Each structure stands twice: as structure tokens, then as C-alpha cells.
Amino acid sequence: HFQYHKPKCSDIGICQQKVRQGALNFAELILACTPVCPEQDEAFRAVREAMMWANSAIDCNQDELAPPVRRKQ
């Protein structure tokens, strides 16, 4: 996990971008619907952590990424 995982195909980058966009969308929803408070900060941290783990799962398990998921847009 502490090494560079070169993308094996361009679909990997597409999947990672979709994860980042989904995280951004959720963070914007949190911003719009919650007051500025410590819980909001924790929510943002959780979204960021989930995004990072999801992209790590894509990086570290490229061979396991199902072809239908990669092609889905």
C-alpha cells in the first residue's frame, strides 16, 4: 500500500474522479444543510477519509474492478 500503483487503464482514473466528485457533492450538501460547528468539521473529515479509502481501494485492487463498473458513466 505504500507504493505507487500505476493505472492499468484510463478507466481507473475515471472511477477515481467519480469518487472525488461524489465526495465533493456530499461535502457541498453538508455545507448547505448543517451549521458551522465541530460536528460539521467531523463530517467533512469523514467524507475526505471515505474518498481517500475508496480511491485507495481502486488503486490497490485494479484487477478486481469489475469491467461493468469501469465502463459505467
Side-chain angles (χ1 to χ4, degrees):
H1 289 291
F2 294 101
Q3 61 186 7
Y4 175 69
H5 298 276
K6 183 177 179 180
K8 294 182 179 180
C9 66
S10 63
D11 291 344
I12 299 302
I14 292 168
C15 287
Q16 289 178 323
Q17 179 55 38
K18 287 180 180 183
V19 167
R20 284 190 296 274
Q21 187 61 53
L24 175 61
N25 293 345
F26 189 39
E28 289 172 343
L29 177 67
I30 291 168
L31 182 63
C33 295
T34 62
V36 175
C37 60
E39 291 81 7
Q40 185 191 59
D41 289 341
E42 288 298 324
F44 288 138
R45 282 187 196 93
V47 171
R48 182 174 181 258
E49 182 178 2
M51 178 193 69
M52 290 172 29
W53 278 116
N55 276 332
S56 180
I58 293 168
D59 272 345
C60 296
N61 300 284
Q62 293 182 43
D63 293 333
E64 303 300 320
L65 192 60
V69 173
R70 289 193 306 217
R71 279 184 253 145
K72 203 173 186 181
Q73 299 217 19

